[in-house]
mmCIF file of all heavy atoms in Angstrom:
data_model
loop_
_atom_site.group_PDB
_atom_site.id
_atom_site.type_symbol
_atom_site.label_atom_id
_atom_site.label_comp_id
_atom_site.label_asym_id
_atom_site.label_seq_id
_atom_site.Cartn_x
_atom_site.Cartn_y
_atom_site.Cartn_z
ATOM 1 N N GLN A 1 -26.661 -10.071 -30.319
ATOM 2 C CA GLN A 1 -26.695 -8.634 -30.050
ATOM 3 C C GLN A 1 -27.153 -8.356 -28.627
ATOM 4 O O GLN A 1 -26.622 -7.484 -27.957
ATOM 5 C CB GLN A 1 -27.614 -7.934 -31.046
ATOM 6 C CG GLN A 1 -27.040 -7.855 -32.437
ATOM 7 C CD GLN A 1 -28.019 -7.245 -33.423
ATOM 8 O OE1 GLN A 1 -29.181 -6.990 -33.107
ATOM 9 N NE2 GLN A 1 -27.550 -7.021 -34.649
ATOM 10 N N ALA A 2 -28.133 -9.116 -28.144
ATOM 11 C CA ALA A 2 -28.613 -8.929 -26.770
ATOM 12 C C ALA A 2 -27.516 -9.271 -25.784
ATOM 13 O O ALA A 2 -27.311 -8.562 -24.790
ATOM 14 C CB ALA A 2 -29.843 -9.791 -26.510
ATOM 15 N N ASN A 3 -26.788 -10.363 -26.036
ATOM 16 C CA ASN A 3 -25.697 -10.750 -25.130
ATOM 17 C C ASN A 3 -24.578 -9.721 -25.144
ATOM 18 O O ASN A 3 -23.983 -9.420 -24.117
ATOM 19 C CB ASN A 3 -25.154 -12.134 -25.502
ATOM 20 C CG ASN A 3 -26.119 -13.239 -25.143
ATOM 21 O OD1 ASN A 3 -26.969 -13.059 -24.281
ATOM 22 N ND2 ASN A 3 -26.001 -14.378 -25.818
ATOM 23 N N GLN A 4 -24.266 -9.142 -26.319
ATOM 24 C CA GLN A 4 -23.231 -8.116 -26.388
ATOM 25 C C GLN A 4 -23.664 -6.866 -25.645
ATOM 26 O O GLN A 4 -22.863 -6.221 -24.982
ATOM 27 C CB GLN A 4 -22.929 -7.781 -27.845
ATOM 28 C CG GLN A 4 -22.158 -8.870 -28.555
ATOM 29 C CD GLN A 4 -22.002 -8.582 -30.040
ATOM 30 O OE1 GLN A 4 -22.529 -7.591 -30.555
ATOM 31 N NE2 GLN A 4 -21.272 -9.447 -30.729
ATOM 32 N N GLY A 5 -24.943 -6.515 -25.724
ATOM 33 C CA GLY A 5 -25.451 -5.357 -24.989
ATOM 34 C C GLY A 5 -25.325 -5.553 -23.493
ATOM 35 O O GLY A 5 -24.952 -4.648 -22.761
ATOM 36 N N ASN A 6 -25.632 -6.764 -23.000
ATOM 37 C CA ASN A 6 -25.513 -7.046 -21.569
ATOM 38 C C ASN A 6 -24.073 -6.966 -21.117
ATOM 39 O O ASN A 6 -23.770 -6.426 -20.062
ATOM 40 C CB ASN A 6 -26.097 -8.428 -21.238
ATOM 41 C CG ASN A 6 -27.604 -8.443 -21.327
ATOM 42 O OD1 ASN A 6 -28.233 -7.400 -21.272
ATOM 43 N ND2 ASN A 6 -28.167 -9.627 -21.483
ATOM 44 N N SER A 7 -23.136 -7.506 -21.904
ATOM 45 C CA SER A 7 -21.735 -7.463 -21.488
ATOM 46 C C SER A 7 -21.203 -6.041 -21.536
ATOM 47 O O SER A 7 -20.370 -5.656 -20.737
ATOM 48 C CB SER A 7 -20.884 -8.397 -22.348
ATOM 49 O OG SER A 7 -20.859 -7.952 -23.686
ATOM 50 N N ALA A 8 -21.706 -5.220 -22.473
ATOM 51 C CA ALA A 8 -21.285 -3.824 -22.524
ATOM 52 C C ALA A 8 -21.742 -3.091 -21.274
ATOM 53 O O ALA A 8 -21.005 -2.278 -20.718
ATOM 54 C CB ALA A 8 -21.835 -3.141 -23.770
ATOM 55 N N ASN A 9 -22.977 -3.360 -20.801
ATOM 56 C CA ASN A 9 -23.455 -2.728 -19.576
ATOM 57 C C ASN A 9 -22.626 -3.172 -18.381
ATOM 58 O O ASN A 9 -22.317 -2.381 -17.503
ATOM 59 C CB ASN A 9 -24.928 -3.066 -19.335
ATOM 60 C CG ASN A 9 -25.833 -2.362 -20.316
ATOM 61 O OD1 ASN A 9 -25.430 -1.380 -20.923
ATOM 62 N ND2 ASN A 9 -27.039 -2.871 -20.483
ATOM 63 N N GLN A 10 -22.263 -4.445 -18.326
ATOM 64 C CA GLN A 10 -21.450 -4.939 -17.226
ATOM 65 C C GLN A 10 -20.063 -4.316 -17.270
ATOM 66 O O GLN A 10 -19.504 -3.975 -16.253
ATOM 67 C CB GLN A 10 -21.362 -6.461 -17.264
ATOM 68 C CG GLN A 10 -22.671 -7.140 -16.933
ATOM 69 C CD GLN A 10 -22.622 -8.642 -17.149
ATOM 70 O OE1 GLN A 10 -21.678 -9.163 -17.715
ATOM 71 N NE2 GLN A 10 -23.654 -9.332 -16.706
ATOM 72 N N GLU A 11 -19.500 -4.162 -18.454
ATOM 73 C CA GLU A 11 -18.181 -3.553 -18.560
ATOM 74 C C GLU A 11 -18.213 -2.103 -18.115
ATOM 75 O O GLU A 11 -17.303 -1.648 -17.444
ATOM 76 C CB GLU A 11 -17.678 -3.653 -19.997
ATOM 77 C CG GLU A 11 -17.299 -5.058 -20.419
ATOM 78 C CD GLU A 11 -16.943 -5.145 -21.897
ATOM 79 O OE1 GLU A 11 -16.973 -4.113 -22.586
ATOM 80 O OE2 GLU A 11 -16.659 -6.249 -22.355
ATOM 81 N N SER A 12 -19.249 -1.377 -18.480
ATOM 82 C CA SER A 12 -19.298 0.024 -18.079
ATOM 83 C C SER A 12 -19.434 0.144 -16.562
ATOM 84 O O SER A 12 -18.848 1.032 -15.970
ATOM 85 C CB SER A 12 -20.440 0.750 -18.788
ATOM 86 O OG SER A 12 -21.691 0.262 -18.369
ATOM 87 N N PHE A 13 -20.185 -0.756 -15.926
ATOM 88 C CA PHE A 13 -20.275 -0.730 -14.467
ATOM 89 C C PHE A 13 -18.928 -1.076 -13.859
ATOM 90 O O PHE A 13 -18.474 -0.426 -12.915
ATOM 91 C CB PHE A 13 -21.347 -1.702 -13.965
ATOM 92 C CG PHE A 13 -21.425 -1.779 -12.461
ATOM 93 C CD1 PHE A 13 -22.008 -0.747 -11.746
ATOM 94 C CD2 PHE A 13 -20.896 -2.857 -11.771
ATOM 95 C CE1 PHE A 13 -22.063 -0.788 -10.372
ATOM 96 C CE2 PHE A 13 -20.948 -2.910 -10.402
ATOM 97 C CZ PHE A 13 -21.546 -1.877 -9.692
ATOM 98 N N THR A 14 -18.252 -2.076 -14.417
ATOM 99 C CA THR A 14 -16.931 -2.461 -13.925
ATOM 100 C C THR A 14 -15.952 -1.308 -14.097
ATOM 101 O O THR A 14 -15.155 -1.027 -13.199
ATOM 102 C CB THR A 14 -16.417 -3.708 -14.683
ATOM 103 O OG1 THR A 14 -17.374 -4.750 -14.539
ATOM 104 C CG2 THR A 14 -15.081 -4.166 -14.158
ATOM 105 N N ASP A 15 -16.016 -0.644 -15.235
ATOM 106 C CA ASP A 15 -15.145 0.506 -15.459
ATOM 107 C C ASP A 15 -15.409 1.608 -14.441
ATOM 108 O O ASP A 15 -14.487 2.242 -13.941
ATOM 109 C CB ASP A 15 -15.338 1.074 -16.870
ATOM 110 C CG ASP A 15 -14.776 0.145 -17.939
ATOM 111 O OD1 ASP A 15 -13.955 -0.729 -17.598
ATOM 112 O OD2 ASP A 15 -15.174 0.300 -19.105
ATOM 113 N N LYS A 16 -16.696 1.822 -14.122
ATOM 114 C CA LYS A 16 -17.037 2.849 -13.138
ATOM 115 C C LYS A 16 -16.442 2.512 -11.769
ATOM 116 O O LYS A 16 -15.927 3.381 -11.080
ATOM 117 C CB LYS A 16 -18.547 3.002 -13.018
ATOM 118 C CG LYS A 16 -19.176 3.697 -14.193
ATOM 119 C CD LYS A 16 -20.683 3.810 -14.031
ATOM 120 C CE LYS A 16 -21.320 4.437 -15.233
ATOM 121 N NZ LYS A 16 -22.780 4.517 -15.103
ATOM 122 N N VAL A 17 -16.524 1.258 -11.387
ATOM 123 C CA VAL A 17 -15.974 0.846 -10.090
ATOM 124 C C VAL A 17 -14.460 0.981 -10.084
ATOM 125 O O VAL A 17 -13.863 1.479 -9.124
ATOM 126 C CB VAL A 17 -16.411 -0.596 -9.734
ATOM 127 C CG1 VAL A 17 -15.679 -1.107 -8.518
ATOM 128 C CG2 VAL A 17 -17.909 -0.648 -9.511
ATOM 129 N N GLN A 18 -13.815 0.555 -11.181
ATOM 130 C CA GLN A 18 -12.360 0.639 -11.252
ATOM 131 C C GLN A 18 -11.882 2.086 -11.303
ATOM 132 O O GLN A 18 -10.808 2.406 -10.814
ATOM 133 C CB GLN A 18 -11.847 -0.128 -12.462
ATOM 134 C CG GLN A 18 -11.957 -1.625 -12.302
ATOM 135 C CD GLN A 18 -11.557 -2.381 -13.559
ATOM 136 O OE1 GLN A 18 -11.432 -1.803 -14.631
ATOM 137 N NE2 GLN A 18 -11.366 -3.680 -13.409
ATOM 138 N N ASN A 19 -12.681 2.951 -11.900
ATOM 139 C CA ASN A 19 -12.291 4.356 -12.020
ATOM 140 C C ASN A 19 -12.774 5.217 -10.863
ATOM 141 O O ASN A 19 -12.653 6.431 -10.915
ATOM 142 C CB ASN A 19 -12.808 4.919 -13.343
ATOM 143 C CG ASN A 19 -12.129 4.293 -14.530
ATOM 144 O OD1 ASN A 19 -10.959 3.938 -14.461
ATOM 145 N ND2 ASN A 19 -12.856 4.147 -15.615
ATOM 146 N N LEU A 20 -13.318 4.599 -9.836
ATOM 147 C CA LEU A 20 -13.847 5.352 -8.703
ATOM 148 C C LEU A 20 -12.774 6.213 -8.044
ATOM 149 O O LEU A 20 -13.028 7.319 -7.608
ATOM 150 C CB LEU A 20 -14.455 4.393 -7.675
ATOM 151 C CG LEU A 20 -15.244 5.011 -6.541
ATOM 152 C CD1 LEU A 20 -16.439 5.783 -7.095
ATOM 153 C CD2 LEU A 20 -15.737 3.942 -5.591
ATOM 154 N N ASN A 21 -11.550 5.705 -7.986
ATOM 155 C CA ASN A 21 -10.472 6.450 -7.340
ATOM 156 C C ASN A 21 -9.676 7.295 -8.336
ATOM 157 O O ASN A 21 -8.651 7.845 -7.985
ATOM 158 C CB ASN A 21 -9.538 5.503 -6.576
ATOM 159 C CG ASN A 21 -8.665 6.241 -5.586
ATOM 160 O OD1 ASN A 21 -9.038 7.308 -5.099
ATOM 161 N ND2 ASN A 21 -7.504 5.703 -5.300
ATOM 162 N N ASN A 22 -10.143 7.411 -9.572
ATOM 163 C CA ASN A 22 -9.505 8.299 -10.535
ATOM 164 C C ASN A 22 -10.061 9.705 -10.329
ATOM 165 O O ASN A 22 -10.852 10.197 -11.115
ATOM 166 C CB ASN A 22 -9.743 7.820 -11.968
ATOM 167 C CG ASN A 22 -8.894 6.630 -12.309
ATOM 168 O OD1 ASN A 22 -7.945 6.312 -11.600
ATOM 169 N ND2 ASN A 22 -9.232 5.961 -13.387
ATOM 170 N N THR A 23 -9.635 10.323 -9.259
ATOM 171 C CA THR A 23 -10.115 11.655 -8.906
ATOM 172 C C THR A 23 -9.033 12.683 -9.209
ATOM 173 O O THR A 23 -7.903 12.332 -9.549
ATOM 174 C CB THR A 23 -10.494 11.710 -7.412
ATOM 175 O OG1 THR A 23 -9.359 11.322 -6.632
ATOM 176 C CG2 THR A 23 -11.645 10.772 -7.107
ATOM 177 N N ALA A 24 -9.381 13.934 -9.051
ATOM 178 C CA ALA A 24 -8.447 15.023 -9.357
ATOM 179 C C ALA A 24 -7.193 14.923 -8.482
ATOM 180 O O ALA A 24 -7.282 14.789 -7.270
ATOM 181 C CB ALA A 24 -9.138 16.361 -9.141
ATOM 182 N N ASP A 25 -6.056 14.979 -9.139
ATOM 183 C CA ASP A 25 -4.766 14.945 -8.443
ATOM 184 C C ASP A 25 -4.124 16.317 -8.588
ATOM 185 O O ASP A 25 -3.706 16.711 -9.670
ATOM 186 C CB ASP A 25 -3.872 13.866 -9.047
ATOM 187 C CG ASP A 25 -2.586 13.653 -8.262
ATOM 188 O OD1 ASP A 25 -2.289 14.469 -7.364
ATOM 189 O OD2 ASP A 25 -1.891 12.668 -8.549
ATOM 190 N N THR A 26 -4.075 17.052 -7.487
ATOM 191 C CA THR A 26 -3.525 18.412 -7.507
ATOM 192 C C THR A 26 -2.174 18.489 -6.804
ATOM 193 O O THR A 26 -1.797 19.540 -6.308
ATOM 194 C CB THR A 26 -4.514 19.383 -6.837
ATOM 195 O OG1 THR A 26 -4.761 18.933 -5.496
ATOM 196 C CG2 THR A 26 -5.819 19.454 -7.605
ATOM 197 N N THR A 27 -1.449 17.390 -6.795
ATOM 198 C CA THR A 27 -0.161 17.342 -6.104
ATOM 199 C C THR A 27 0.802 18.385 -6.657
ATOM 200 O O THR A 27 1.584 18.973 -5.899
ATOM 201 C CB THR A 27 0.455 15.933 -6.230
ATOM 202 O OG1 THR A 27 -0.510 14.978 -5.784
ATOM 203 C CG2 THR A 27 1.704 15.798 -5.399
ATOM 204 N N ALA A 28 0.759 18.642 -7.952
ATOM 205 C CA ALA A 28 1.678 19.593 -8.570
ATOM 206 C C ALA A 28 1.468 21.021 -8.061
ATOM 207 O O ALA A 28 2.367 21.864 -8.196
ATOM 208 C CB ALA A 28 1.519 19.558 -10.081
ATOM 209 N N ASP A 29 0.322 21.312 -7.470
ATOM 210 C CA ASP A 29 0.041 22.656 -6.956
ATOM 211 C C ASP A 29 0.711 22.936 -5.616
ATOM 212 O O ASP A 29 0.652 24.065 -5.127
ATOM 213 C CB ASP A 29 -1.470 22.850 -6.789
ATOM 214 C CG ASP A 29 -2.220 22.781 -8.103
ATOM 215 O OD1 ASP A 29 -1.573 22.858 -9.160
ATOM 216 O OD2 ASP A 29 -3.455 22.640 -8.066
ATOM 217 N N PHE A 30 1.339 21.928 -5.011
ATOM 218 C CA PHE A 30 1.916 22.083 -3.683
ATOM 219 C C PHE A 30 3.432 22.077 -3.746
ATOM 220 O O PHE A 30 4.037 21.443 -4.615
ATOM 221 C CB PHE A 30 1.427 20.957 -2.760
ATOM 222 C CG PHE A 30 -0.064 20.979 -2.542
ATOM 223 C CD1 PHE A 30 -0.907 20.224 -3.336
ATOM 224 C CD2 PHE A 30 -0.617 21.769 -1.548
ATOM 225 C CE1 PHE A 30 -2.279 20.242 -3.154
ATOM 226 C CE2 PHE A 30 -1.989 21.801 -1.351
ATOM 227 C CZ PHE A 30 -2.818 21.039 -2.156
ATOM 228 N N ASP A 31 4.043 22.780 -2.808
ATOM 229 C CA ASP A 31 5.493 22.851 -2.700
ATOM 230 C C ASP A 31 6.029 21.489 -2.244
ATOM 231 O O ASP A 31 5.568 20.959 -1.232
ATOM 232 C CB ASP A 31 5.859 23.947 -1.693
ATOM 233 C CG ASP A 31 7.339 24.118 -1.518
ATOM 234 O OD1 ASP A 31 8.097 23.791 -2.453
ATOM 235 O OD2 ASP A 31 7.754 24.588 -0.436
ATOM 236 N N PRO A 32 7.009 20.913 -2.958
ATOM 237 C CA PRO A 32 7.549 19.609 -2.569
ATOM 238 C C PRO A 32 8.119 19.577 -1.145
ATOM 239 O O PRO A 32 8.012 18.565 -0.456
ATOM 240 C CB PRO A 32 8.642 19.336 -3.601
ATOM 241 C CG PRO A 32 8.252 20.149 -4.794
ATOM 242 C CD PRO A 32 7.555 21.362 -4.235
ATOM 243 N N SER A 33 8.686 20.676 -0.683
ATOM 244 C CA SER A 33 9.202 20.695 0.688
ATOM 245 C C SER A 33 8.066 20.706 1.709
ATOM 246 O O SER A 33 8.185 20.123 2.791
ATOM 247 C CB SER A 33 10.136 21.893 0.905
ATOM 248 O OG SER A 33 9.420 23.102 0.752
ATOM 249 N N ASP A 34 6.954 21.358 1.371
ATOM 250 C CA ASP A 34 5.769 21.349 2.233
ATOM 251 C C ASP A 34 5.217 19.925 2.339
ATOM 252 O O ASP A 34 4.884 19.457 3.425
ATOM 253 C CB ASP A 34 4.706 22.292 1.661
ATOM 254 C CG ASP A 34 3.455 22.387 2.529
ATOM 255 O OD1 ASP A 34 3.507 22.037 3.725
ATOM 256 O OD2 ASP A 34 2.416 22.823 1.991
ATOM 257 N N ILE A 35 5.170 19.240 1.217
ATOM 258 C CA ILE A 35 4.684 17.853 1.215
ATOM 259 C C ILE A 35 5.596 16.977 2.057
ATOM 260 O O ILE A 35 5.132 16.209 2.908
ATOM 261 C CB ILE A 35 4.587 17.310 -0.230
ATOM 262 C CG1 ILE A 35 3.498 18.062 -1.001
ATOM 263 C CG2 ILE A 35 4.315 15.812 -0.236
ATOM 264 C CD1 ILE A 35 3.449 17.739 -2.487
ATOM 265 N N ALA A 36 6.894 17.086 1.842
ATOM 266 C CA ALA A 36 7.859 16.233 2.548
ATOM 267 C C ALA A 36 7.814 16.455 4.054
ATOM 268 O O ALA A 36 7.916 15.498 4.837
ATOM 269 C CB ALA A 36 9.262 16.483 2.019
ATOM 270 N N SER A 37 7.649 17.686 4.484
ATOM 271 C CA SER A 37 7.681 17.955 5.926
ATOM 272 C C SER A 37 6.335 17.741 6.623
ATOM 273 O O SER A 37 6.304 17.649 7.853
ATOM 274 C CB SER A 37 8.176 19.385 6.184
ATOM 275 O OG SER A 37 7.303 20.320 5.603
ATOM 276 N N ASN A 38 5.239 17.624 5.869
ATOM 277 C CA ASN A 38 3.928 17.528 6.517
ATOM 278 C C ASN A 38 3.117 16.297 6.147
ATOM 279 O O ASN A 38 1.975 16.166 6.588
ATOM 280 C CB ASN A 38 3.107 18.780 6.193
ATOM 281 C CG ASN A 38 3.654 20.001 6.887
ATOM 282 O OD1 ASN A 38 3.740 20.036 8.104
ATOM 283 N ND2 ASN A 38 4.058 20.976 6.096
ATOM 284 N N LYS A 39 3.682 15.374 5.376
ATOM 285 C CA LYS A 39 2.870 14.215 4.999
ATOM 286 C C LYS A 39 2.641 13.269 6.164
ATOM 287 O O LYS A 39 1.611 12.615 6.230
ATOM 288 C CB LYS A 39 3.432 13.495 3.777
ATOM 289 C CG LYS A 39 4.762 12.857 3.920
ATOM 290 C CD LYS A 39 5.147 12.244 2.567
ATOM 291 C CE LYS A 39 6.537 11.669 2.603
ATOM 292 N NZ LYS A 39 6.925 11.120 1.312
ATOM 293 N N GLY A 40 3.548 13.213 7.124
ATOM 294 C CA GLY A 40 3.346 12.357 8.293
ATOM 295 C C GLY A 40 2.179 12.813 9.153
ATOM 296 O O GLY A 40 1.313 12.021 9.532
ATOM 297 N N ILE A 41 2.151 14.094 9.460
ATOM 298 C CA ILE A 41 1.077 14.606 10.307
ATOM 299 C C ILE A 41 -0.246 14.678 9.539
ATOM 300 O O ILE A 41 -1.325 14.608 10.131
ATOM 301 C CB ILE A 41 1.442 15.983 10.918
ATOM 302 C CG1 ILE A 41 0.533 16.288 12.105
ATOM 303 C CG2 ILE A 41 1.413 17.075 9.882
ATOM 304 C CD1 ILE A 41 1.036 17.374 13.007
ATOM 305 N N SER A 42 -0.180 14.778 8.205
ATOM 306 C CA SER A 42 -1.400 14.827 7.393
ATOM 307 C C SER A 42 -2.173 13.516 7.436
ATOM 308 O O SER A 42 -3.382 13.500 7.213
ATOM 309 C CB SER A 42 -1.060 15.181 5.942
ATOM 310 O OG SER A 42 -0.547 16.494 5.876
ATOM 311 N N VAL A 43 -1.484 12.428 7.730
ATOM 312 C CA VAL A 43 -2.150 11.123 7.853
ATOM 313 C C VAL A 43 -3.211 11.170 8.949
ATOM 314 O O VAL A 43 -4.271 10.564 8.829
ATOM 315 C CB VAL A 43 -1.105 10.015 8.132
ATOM 316 C CG1 VAL A 43 -1.758 8.725 8.556
ATOM 317 C CG2 VAL A 43 -0.237 9.796 6.903
#
């Protein structure tokens, strides 16, 4: 049980690191033509 608890804590930390870039994606709120014409300069 102690070993399972330790691996669960490690998994949750690993999940947090892997999910760090799972942030809000609001791409659908923008006009596709606006995205296409301005993604180069947005870099």
Side-chain angles (χ1 to χ4, degrees):
Q1 288 176 353
N3 288 337
Q4 287 174 356
N6 288 340
S7 65
N9 289 341
Q10 291 173 350
E11 289 174 1
S12 66
F13 176 75
T14 304
D15 289 342
K16 287 179 183 178
V17 171
Q18 288 175 346
N19 293 327
L20 189 61
N21 196 27
N22 285 346
T23 57
D25 187 350
T26 58
T27 307
D29 296 346
F30 297 94
D31 181 26
S33 64
D34 182 19
I35 293 172
S37 62
N38 290 301
K39 65 182 176 182
I41 198 163
S42 294
V43 168

